[in-house]
Amino acid sequence: MTIDPITFTLVLALAALSGALGSAVGMAGGVFLVPVLTIVGGVPWETAVAVSLFSVVASSSAAAPAALAAGLPNLRLAVTLEVATVLGSLGGIALLGLVHERILYGVFAAVLIVSAVQVLKRRHARTETASRGRDWGARLRLNSTFRDDGDVRSYVVRRVPTGLTVMFGAGTLSALLGIGSGVLKIPAMDMTLGLPIKVSSATANLMIGVTGCGTALAFLLRGTVTPLLAASAVLGSVVGSMFGARLLVRVPASILRTAMVVVLAVLAVPMTAFAFVAA
């Protein structure tokens, strides 16, 4: 695929915007970049997914330091969940090429809509402050605290086995769709595990880099990566993600939740339409 200077610059700018939006809500830029590359740029699906995964790794790496400095990610939980996510991504790589593009667009649209609905549902306040000894959250010492608006708040990690199952599915879709799986991880952490939105966003952003690294390497070995296009996406993602990570630390959780729902809903429209017209 031939890349001219205009295309290089356009992809760089779009990747920067995608990286800023993605790291601010913990989804990386893949969920925004893939629709743009395929629908607007006419890039083949596998190439767009491969390029997106490289940008996912870059944006995750760029955004992680700011989130870690603020103490938002739950590192112990990230390592636990990443085991299931990596296993799922291996399954997704095996399925790639066997699933029709129209189905992939449809699945992507469904993922966006379901995630938007889940994020929109505000969780009811819970009175529990500690989990029982038999709970996985307590056994694995996953319960933790984070700082929000100057206050230190504690939270309890619930339904860990269910969370691991969802993460396996998120890893599979990450390899198939090139989305970094943060689009699924954040709602799962928010709704299933009961994490605060800032903690789930920061933890998901840290995890997607690990998942994306392995799957991006697999695409590189398959020969589906356009180096110049990937370089443009990576440069833009790094710049955008550094800015987005600072937004995550400073912007109120309610605004993050609203922004996430709006972006997911808007992206679902063209992906749904393309599911019916893809060759």
Side-chain angles (χ1 to χ4, degrees):
M1 182 177 179
T2 304
I3 305 298
D4 55 54
I6 295 178
T7 302
F8 183 93
T9 304
L10 181 61
V11 171
L12 189 149
L14 291 173
L17 178 60
S18 299
L21 289 172
S23 62
V25 295
M27 294 188 295
V31 66
F32 312 109
L33 195 57
V34 172
V36 171
L37 290 176
T38 55
I39 297 177
V40 179
V43 177
W45 180 272
E46 282 201 28
T47 301
V49 169
V51 168
S52 173
L53 286 171
F54 275 91
S55 73
V56 163
V57 176
S59 61
S60 174
S61 301
L68 287 169
L72 292 177
N74 186 324
L75 298 180
R76 200 175 186 90
L77 178 63
V79 172
T80 302
L81 297 178
E82 194 58 41
V83 174
T85 308
V86 170
L87 291 176
S89 67
L90 295 176
I93 293 172
L95 291 173
L96 197 66
L98 302 177
V99 184
H100 195 279
E101 279 191 16
R102 181 174 295 179
I103 297 176
L104 291 176
Y105 280 113
V107 171
F108 203 142
V111 167
L112 293 173
I113 294 171
V114 170
S115 297
V117 171
Q118 287 182 328
V119 174
L120 190 60
K121 294 178 179 178
R122 299 183 62 88
R123 291 182 292 108
H124 298 293
R126 301 178 185 273
T127 57
E128 56 188 338
T129 57
S131 59
R132 299 173 184 175
R134 66 174 181 273
D135 291 343
W136 284 98
R139 286 182 176 182
L140 300 177
R141 291 183 290 170
L142 303 179
N143 304 327
S144 188
T145 60
F146 75 108
R147 187 175 294 276
D148 186 27
D149 295 330
D151 299 325
V152 177
R153 303 182 182 180
S154 61
Y155 59 90
V156 174
V157 180
R158 306 184 306 274
R159 298 191 291 274
V160 175
T162 303
L164 288 171
T165 302
V166 174
M167 293 302 154
F168 180 88
T172 302
L173 289 177
S174 172
L176 284 172
L177 306 178
I179 57 176
S181 69
V183 66
L184 290 177
K185 287 175 180 175
I186 298 173
M189 292 179 182
D190 185 44
M191 303 294 292
T192 304
L193 300 177
L195 301 187
I197 187 67
K198 284 194 174 184
V199 175
S200 56
S201 295
T203 304
N205 189 72
L206 190 68
M207 292 173 60
I208 57 182
V210 179
T211 307
C213 188
T215 48
L217 178 60
F219 276 100
L220 184 63
L221 295 176
R222 288 168 63 96
T224 56
V225 179
T226 303
L228 198 57
L229 194 62
S232 177
V234 166
L235 286 174
S237 296
V238 168
V239 174
S241 297
M242 293 175 67
F243 175 73
R246 285 164 175 75
L247 289 179
L248 173 62
V249 175
R250 298 176 183 177
V251 174
S254 59
I255 295 179
L256 286 178
R257 187 183 296 272
T258 302
M260 193 184 309
V261 171
V262 171
V263 171
L264 291 173
V266 169
L267 288 175
V269 175
M271 295 304 280
T272 301
F274 218 66
F276 293 97
V277 299

